[in-house]
Amino acid sequence: MAVTIHPTSLVEKGAELADGVEVGPFCVVSGKAKLAEGVKLISHVSIAGSTFIGARTQVFPFAGLGHPPQDTKYKGEDTQLIIGSVNLIREGATFHLGTVQGRGKTVVGNRGFFMNGAHVGHDSIVGNNVIYATHAVSGGLATIEDSVILGGNSAIHQLGRVGMGAFIGGCAPVVGDVIPFGMVDNRGNLNGLNIVGLKRRGATRETIHTLRAVYRDLFSGEGFFEDRLEAVAERYAAIPEVVRIVDFIRAGDKRPLCTPGGG
């Protein structure tokens, strides 16, 4: 399939456009950009810097991808933005380059849905099948794992982590790491498990009951949290979902853990 470029758009020399790429009206594409097959820029899209966009991703008007990070330490270094395949990036979304002080690149996975005004900060890692609802944002060096849903106007603190399958409520200020399969309420507190998400992922009734018991043991049990964590790790070592939660908690060293009621 041929590449199509609207006559009002500017594609700088050096840009690599694969078969079937469509560049609609009033777009600007950097000379360092690479667009894989079937990428579609609807109109008024700005692609800057060393940006790669995976196959069949669609980008809607006024999105800005690959522009400099909002970090005062950035001095124009040639860092990267890497976006996977089959993403839907809606109006006004912004994904920024990485920094040399961080990971050197911002990475977004496949099959994501980024609604209008969504923001992915510098050096972030965003997994597959992620949804950023309207004006959901994640700060620099955040990690958003697979199948996470960020509600509208929610905000993930820089360096924050959100575990696989978690759900963040609308307008939530999330300042701590959210465990896999966790549910965060509109005030930014952990409030149970994302049961609907677990069912959609095919979790059995037995697994859901086990995860509920683990949640109670971790956040409502007696004694020190570290002791409760080790007890859970030993008791449920054969349950992959529990192992994921335990490993996630153990790996946290930048932000506190998001807990029920802020406790």
Side-chain angles (χ1 to χ4, degrees):
M1 296 176 61
V3 173
T4 60
I5 303 173
H6 193 276
T8 60
S9 288
L10 172 62
V11 177
E12 296 178 352
K13 183 178 180 180
E16 298 181 20
L17 277 58
D19 291 346
V21 168
E22 299 180 29
V23 180
F26 302 105
C27 296
V28 178
V29 179
S30 161
K32 297 179 181 179
K34 298 180 180 180
L35 277 57
E37 62 273 12
V39 168
K40 186 174 183 179
L41 310 182
I42 303 298
S43 74
H44 300 83
V45 174
S46 179
I47 309 296
S50 297
T51 295
F52 172 82
I53 302 179
R56 299 182 303 285
T57 288
Q58 295 187 51
V59 188
F60 280 69
F62 305 107
L65 307 178
H67 288 276
Q70 295 176 147
D71 186 325
T72 57
K73 298 185 296 296
Y74 181 75
K75 304 301 180 185
E77 296 91 351
D78 188 17
T79 51
Q80 295 178 292
L81 169 64
I82 301 171
I83 301 171
S85 303
V86 201
N87 288 292
L88 193 61
I89 303 172
R90 294 300 301 263
E91 297 85 349
T94 53
F95 298 4
H96 286 167
L97 296 172
T99 66
V100 293
Q101 295 85 5
R103 297 177 173 125
K105 57 187 176 182
T106 302
V107 180
V108 176
N110 306 317
R111 299 178 300 279
F113 185 14
F114 302 87
M115 299 184 193
N116 60 296
H119 173 68
V120 176
H122 65 86
D123 299 293
S124 292
I125 297 176
V126 179
N128 301 320
N129 301 302
V130 168
I131 296 175
Y132 278 51
T134 295
H135 292 290
V137 301
S138 55
L141 289 155
T143 300
I144 312 298
E145 295 186 353
D146 293 349
S147 302
V148 166
I149 298 176
L150 303 184
N153 292 292
S154 61
I156 309 301
H157 198 287
Q158 60 263 37
L159 300 170
R161 300 180 303 143
V162 181
M164 173 187 284
F167 184 96
I168 310 300
C171 300
V174 183
V175 298
D177 291 343
V178 180
I179 61 170
F181 321 116
M183 174 80 74
V184 174
D185 64 23
N186 304 93
R187 296 184 178 183
N189 300 319
L190 189 65
N191 191 9
L193 298 171
N194 182 14
I195 301 300
V196 172
L198 283 164
K199 290 178 178 178
R200 288 175 177 172
R201 292 173 59 84
T204 64
R205 181 184 296 271
E206 181 181 4
T207 296
I208 291 173
H209 285 325
T210 297
L211 290 174
R212 280 176 163 154
V214 167
Y215 184 92
R216 289 193 297 270
D217 289 346
L218 287 175
F219 299 108
S220 300
E222 297 180 352
F224 292 108
F225 180 82
E226 291 79 4
D227 295 334
R228 302 199 301 270
L229 178 63
E230 294 308 315
V232 163
E234 182 176 351
R235 181 176 181 183
Y236 299 102
I239 309 298
E241 292 85 353
V242 178
V243 172
R244 175 174 287 275
I245 292 173
V246 170
D247 288 347
F248 179 91
I249 294 172
R250 286 173 170 169
D253 61 354
K254 302 297 184 183
R255 302 297 307 158
L257 193 65
C258 184
T259 56

